[in-house]
Amino acid sequence: MPLYPTPHINAAPEDFSETVLMPGDPLRAKFIAENYLTDAVCINKVRGALAYTGYYKCKKISVMASGMGIPSMGIYSYELYNIFGVKRIMRIGSAGAIRSDIKVRDIVIAMGACTTSSFATQYNLPGSFAPICSYEMLKACTENAEKLGIRYHVGNILTSDTFYTDTAGLTDENLPSSAWGRMNVTAIEMETAALYMTAARAGCEALAICTVSDHLLTGETTSAEERQNSFTDMITLALDTGAELIDD
C-alpha cells in the first residue's frame, strides 16, 4: 500500500469524507467550498489541485479538483480510493452535447462511458471493458433530480482523449461526434471512463454528472466564467445526492 502524503495529495485519510465531489477546475472546487459548505477547510494545494472538506446538511463532504483528461483523473481517483479510503467519487463537470434533444445547460448523468482511450489496457483483460456507474448513486441522483425539477438525461457519454481533433476534409456526417451520436451517445467529455474503471478496480463507487456547456451540433456555448460559477443545478444535485449516500 503506498504511503501518504502522495506526490499529488498532501493530506491524511481522515481529512477526506467518504464521498468526494470532483470538478475538473480547481476554482470550481473553491467556489463550491466557499458557497455551499460550512466550516470548509482547504486540505490540499499540491499542483493547484485544490481540495476542501466541510459540511453540507450536517454531512461531511469533500470536494477536490481532478484536473483535465484521463491521466489526471486516473491519478487522483486512484489515490483517493486506494490510499485515502474514499468510498465514492462524483464527477461534476462540463460536456459537449451531440444529440439534438439535449440542450445547453441540461444535465447529463453518465450511466456508461465509451472512450477513445487505451486506459483499460493496463488491466490485461481478454476483451473490452464497458465502464459503468454505481447503480445506487445513479438511482439516488435521478430521484433527487426529479425532486429538484431539473432537466436531465441518463445515458452513455464519450470520454475522449482529445479536445482539439484534426477533422480537416471531413464532412459533418463523417465527423467522429456524428458517429458517436448515431450510437445514441449523449455528450463528450474527457474524464468519466477513467473514473469508472478506477472505481471498478478498487471495488468502489462512482458517478459522473455533467452540465452541457456547449453543443457540437448547434455551436451554442457558455463562457469559462459561466462554467465556473453558474452550474448551480448540477452542484446542488451532486451535494444532495452525496449527502444522502453518507452513512450517519
Side-chain angles (χ1 to χ4, degrees), residues 32-99:
I32 294 169
E34 292 178 347
N35 291 276
Y36 290 86
L37 302 184
T38 58
D39 300 322
V41 176
C42 184
I43 58 174
N44 187 68
K45 295 181 179 179
V46 177
R47 295 175 177 260
L50 298 177
Y52 300 84
T53 294
Y55 292 86
Y56 180 80
K57 295 185 176 179
C58 300
K59 298 291 185 71
K60 183 180 178 182
I61 293 274
S62 296
V63 55
M64 180 177 184
S66 70
M68 290 189 291
I70 280 178
S72 188
M73 172 59 85
I75 289 170
Y76 288 115
S77 60
Y78 179 92
E79 292 186 359
L80 289 173
Y81 285 136
N82 293 286
I83 300 170
F84 293 93
V86 170
K87 294 181 179 179
R88 64 186 68 87
I89 295 174
M90 196 176 310
R91 162 162 159 68
I92 47 173
S94 57
I98 55 175
R99 270 185 12 202

Side-chain angles (χ1 to χ4, degrees), residues 54-242:
Y55 292 86
Y56 180 80
K57 295 185 176 179
C58 300
K59 298 291 185 71
K60 183 180 178 182
I61 293 274
S62 296
V63 55
M64 180 177 184
S66 70
M68 290 189 291
I70 280 178
S72 188
M73 172 59 85
I75 289 170
Y76 288 115
S77 60
Y78 179 92
E79 292 186 359
L80 289 173
Y81 285 136
N82 293 286
I83 300 170
F84 293 93
V86 170
K87 294 181 179 179
R88 64 186 68 87
I89 295 174
M90 196 176 310
R91 162 162 159 68
I92 47 173
S94 57
I98 55 175
R99 270 185 12 202
S100 59
D101 61 312
I102 299 176
K103 310 301 181 185
V104 169
R105 294 185 179 83
D106 282 0
I107 285 177
V108 171
I109 305 170
M111 183 163 51
C114 309
T115 187
T116 59
S117 169
S118 60
F119 191 82
T121 59
Q122 66 179 298
Y123 302 116
N124 299 307
L125 298 166
S128 57
F129 181 75
I132 59 172
C133 70
S134 155
Y135 174 73
E136 181 184 23
M137 294 180 73
L138 175 64
K139 183 173 182 289
C141 186
T142 56
E143 288 175 352
N144 278 303
E146 294 288 343
K147 292 175 187 175
L148 293 167
I150 291 173
R151 179 179 165 91
Y152 70 95
H153 310 265
V154 178
N156 238 332
I157 205 164
L158 171 65
T159 300
S160 176
D161 250 352
T162 56
F163 185 85
Y164 297 107
T165 303
D166 190 348
T167 57
L170 295 180
T171 63
D172 288 347
E173 182 69 14
N174 292 321
L175 291 173
S177 57
S178 298
W180 289 107
R182 287 192 292 272
M183 294 302 293
N184 207 31
V185 172
T186 58
I188 302 176
E189 51 82 76
M190 300 186 71
E191 290 83 26
T192 298
L195 172 61
Y196 285 7
M197 284 188 253
T198 305
R201 182 65 180 88
C204 295
E205 295 184 284
L207 181 68
I209 306 171
C210 293
T211 299
V212 174
S213 59
D214 56 289
H215 208 296
L216 277 67
L217 300 181
T218 67
E220 187 178 359
T221 188
T222 56
S223 70
E225 184 177 358
E226 286 176 311
R227 288 193 293 274
Q228 179 183 318
N229 295 328
S230 69
F231 291 175
T232 54
D233 283 350
M234 174 180 64
I235 294 168
T236 301
L237 175 59
L239 286 167
D240 282 356
T241 301

